[in-house]
Amino acid sequence: MFVFPFEHCKLQIGCLLVILYLAFIYDRERRRFHLSGRTLYDVLLWAGVACLLLDGITAYSVNHQHLINPTVNLVLHGLFLISIDALLFLLLLYMLDATKGLPSSWGKRLLLAVPFLVNVLIVALNLNSLEYRQGKTSYYSMGTSVYTCFAMAALYILLTIAHVFRRWNSIESHKRVNIITSLLVVAGITVYQMLVPDSLVSSIGTTMLLLGAYVNQENPDMKELTRYHDEMVTGFATLIENRDSNTGGHVKRTTQYVKLLAEELNRRGFYSEILTKDYLENLLKAAPMHDIGKIAVPDAILQKPGKLTPEEFELMKLHTSKGGEIIQESFGRMGNEQYLEIASQIARYHHEKWNGKGYPEGLHRKEIPLCARIMAIADVFDAVSEDRCYRAALPLETCFEIIQEGSGQDFDPILAEIFLDLRHEVQQVKEGCVPDEHKRRDI
């Protein structure tokens, strides 16, 4: 009777082939879209490949002990146990990074690695006590090294799941259920492996982990589609800006100011119930459309070199209400209700003032949507700091003074204060540099 020589590791071989194919697709798509640089997912992916390879080798070696040198068998099992915990440690780092929760200091990152380093030490010191037992379907290894590996695996899985729930609002709503489901599946398979050690199903957990991260976070096709959408919106907004002799720099700079202000608000814990991951992403996609209503304003008014007459100013003010209407009519069928709401609110209300003396509706204080209050500061600062057809740019210090003087009058005082605290980063944007988040000053 023919016996398949790799009978006890065929599951691992199948999982390894799946992940190698995933790695091939991932690398091919990154090359196709010219995505440079390596990420934590690259490390996670190849750590997973190594883990699956060692899983298959040890599944074979533990069931063919008569063919394998005992010392080699021990070393292989040690490497496999370490690779499991290394993979789950990387998963924790990956989720921390994906939700902007990764500590900035290397000291804190090293603290996260302490359980893993302790596990490596215990596994190495107790390899000689490893024993091989016969189960119903397969031989398997047990001992202090295995128990330690299980304990560390459970710890890192629980920490990852807890972090996902803690940072729930920092994950896009359409990804939340998928992410937590894949983590729970990995946890369930790990528990089953602990309870039924001769099942040797840990490879399924590794495969689900890598597939889940790819589908939910790393698919280059989806990233590129999002980028195309963002560039199309920015390009359309730039065309509108060009009508009033602007170069389009206004769109890019104001969007960067909005990004700086919104992220700093979120970092400091203000409006945490509003500033979810979805809200922040939709806010940045909507910001370039704030002046879309100018498409309905005559060129003679937009490009007038002098001061507008009261009648002309009334026509100019219509760009806010017109902008809200255009967005509702043009983007109403996108299926993203939050984006539609934020974009129309920004277009309609970004000229409202904190004291109620703005337009088009004279809203005051928190009657003005948060997105419009953020946009108002970004728009005014860029307007006074750049050359316009009716006046030259003001000195940068004067521009910051305008924001300070408008605090509590024109602008939300909390937002104005934070914007002024970000003076260094704002200047970088003004000079054409995108601030590095990792080099952001502690405030």
Side-chain angles (χ1 to χ4, degrees):
M1 179 179 177
F2 174 75
V3 178
F4 182 58
F6 301 107
E7 177 68 25
H8 294 95
C9 56
K10 59 185 180 183
L11 177 62
Q12 289 81 357
I13 292 172
C15 289
L16 180 60
L17 291 174
V18 169
I19 296 307
L20 286 174
Y21 178 70
L22 173 66
F24 169 74
I25 293 295
Y26 174 68
D27 186 65
R28 187 189 68 179
E29 294 303 291
R30 283 179 59 86
R31 291 174 184 275
R32 184 161 72 94
F33 296 125
H34 305 289
L35 299 176
S36 59
R38 292 300 172 185
T39 67
L40 262 175
Y41 182 72
D42 295 90
V43 181
L44 187 69
L45 181 59
W46 291 109
V49 169
C51 187
L52 287 171
L53 186 61
L54 288 166
D55 196 346
I57 291 173
T58 52
Y60 177 85
S61 68
V62 78
N63 285 285
H64 297 81
Q65 297 171 44
H66 60 287
L67 299 177
I68 308 296
N69 180 283
T71 302
V72 172
N73 210 355
L74 282 176
V75 171
L76 287 172
H77 276 78
L79 291 173
F80 171 55
L81 294 173
I82 291 170
S83 73
I84 291 175
D85 286 331
L87 183 68
L88 293 173
F89 171 57
L90 288 170
L91 174 65
L92 175 61
L93 293 182
Y94 174 77
M95 290 308 303
L96 286 169
D97 185 58
T99 56
K100 307 298 183 186
L102 188 65
S104 56
S105 70
W106 283 104
K108 291 181 179 178
R109 293 185 187 185
L110 186 60
L111 189 62
L112 289 172
V114 167
F116 171 64
L117 297 175
V118 170
N119 173 66
V120 171
L121 185 62
I122 294 175
V123 168
L125 293 176
N126 291 276
L127 269 183
N128 286 329
S129 65
L130 204 65
E131 59 183 77
Y132 307 119
R133 301 177 185 176
Q134 184 174 10
K136 293 180 180 180
T137 59
S138 171
Y139 278 91
Y140 61 93
S141 58
M142 292 300 288
T144 303
S145 296
V146 176
Y147 300 139
T148 304
C149 173
F150 284 164
M152 293 300 100
L155 174 64
Y156 279 129
I157 290 174
L158 288 174
L159 284 175
T160 303
I161 292 174
H163 175 74
V164 167
F165 279 115
R166 187 173 69 87
R167 299 282 292 179
W168 195 249
N169 286 340
S170 297
I171 303 171
E172 297 96 317
S173 58
H174 65 281
K175 294 180 179 179
R176 292 170 185 165
V177 174
N178 295 340
I179 289 173
I180 200 64
T181 300
S182 63
L183 288 174
L184 290 175
V185 169
V186 172
I189 292 170
T190 304
V191 170
Y192 183 77
Q193 178 65 61
M194 293 177 183
L195 297 176
V196 189
D198 66 328
S199 62
L200 305 183
V201 295
S202 57
S203 58
I204 299 177
T206 301
T207 305
M208 286 297 299
L209 184 157
L210 298 172
L211 285 174
Y214 177 83
V215 171
N216 293 320
Q217 300 283 124
E218 301 297 335
N219 189 333
D221 286 313
M222 295 306 298
K223 287 187 173 183
E224 194 66 9
L225 184 62
T226 301
R227 188 179 69 83
Y228 283 153
H229 172 270
D230 294 345
E231 288 185 356
M232 183 183 69
V233 169
T234 302
F236 181 55
T238 299
L239 285 174
I240 295 169
E241 289 295 332
N242 286 341
R243 292 187 62 239
D244 63 350
S245 302
N246 231 308
T247 62
H250 174 70
V251 170
K252 295 176 182 177
R253 287 188 302 272
T254 52
T255 300
Q256 283 298 316
Y257 297 147
V258 166
K259 182 176 188 290
L260 284 173
L261 186 48
E263 288 183 348
E264 187 63 18
L265 272 174
N266 190 40
R267 192 178 75 83
R268 297 193 188 187
F270 290 104
Y271 304 110
S272 57
E273 72 285 357
I274 298 176
L275 293 172
T276 63
K277 176 77 169 180
D278 287 332
Y279 190 95
L280 289 169
E281 287 201 352
N282 286 320
L283 173 61
L284 295 182
K285 291 176 182 177
M289 307 297 284
H290 66 280
D291 276 338
I292 191 174
K294 285 183 177 179
I295 201 170
V297 178
D299 287 345
I301 295 177
L302 283 177
Q303 299 172 12
K304 184 176 179 179
K307 185 177 180 180
L308 298 178
T309 66
E311 294 78 12
E312 289 170 335
F313 185 58
E314 289 301 315
L315 287 174
M316 174 64 85
K317 283 168 35 175
L318 290 176
H319 83 275
T320 54
S321 53
K322 285 288 185 183
E325 293 171 9
I326 290 170
I327 287 172
Q328 289 288 342
E329 292 170 2
S330 303
F331 300 95
R333 297 182 181 179
M334 280 183 58
N336 188 338
E337 295 298 325
Q338 188 182 62
Y339 171 79
L340 182 66
E341 180 181 31
I342 292 174
S344 69
Q345 286 177 344
I346 284 178
R348 187 174 184 85
Y349 300 125
H350 69 282
H351 282 292
E352 297 286 1
K353 295 184 178 181
W354 186 253
N355 60 10
K357 296 182 179 180
Y359 62 87
E361 297 178 18
L363 302 180
H364 70 287
R365 295 180 175 266
K366 293 188 178 180
E367 289 179 353
I368 309 168
L370 176 61
C371 55
R373 303 199 311 263
I374 293 173
M375 190 73 238
I377 292 178
D379 189 45
V380 168
F381 182 84
D382 194 70
V384 297
S385 64
E386 291 292 319
D387 290 332
R388 290 298 174 96
C389 59
Y390 49 87
R391 57 142 180 80
L394 299 177
L396 207 55
E397 192 58 39
T398 303
C399 299
F400 283 112
E401 289 174 1
I402 288 173
I403 301 300
Q404 188 168 21
E405 291 169 2
S407 177
Q409 297 297 317
D410 298 335
F411 313 118
D412 180 332
I414 292 176
L415 303 189
E417 179 184 349
I418 292 177
F419 187 83
L420 293 170
D421 286 343
L422 294 169
R423 181 183 301 246
H424 175 71
E425 290 82 354
V426 169
Q427 287 177 333
Q428 283 186 296
V429 173
K430 178 70 175 62
E431 293 165 3
C433 304
V434 178
D436 187 337
E437 292 181 5
H438 299 292
K439 296 180 180 178
R440 180 82 56 85
R441 298 172 302 154
D442 292 328
I443 298 175

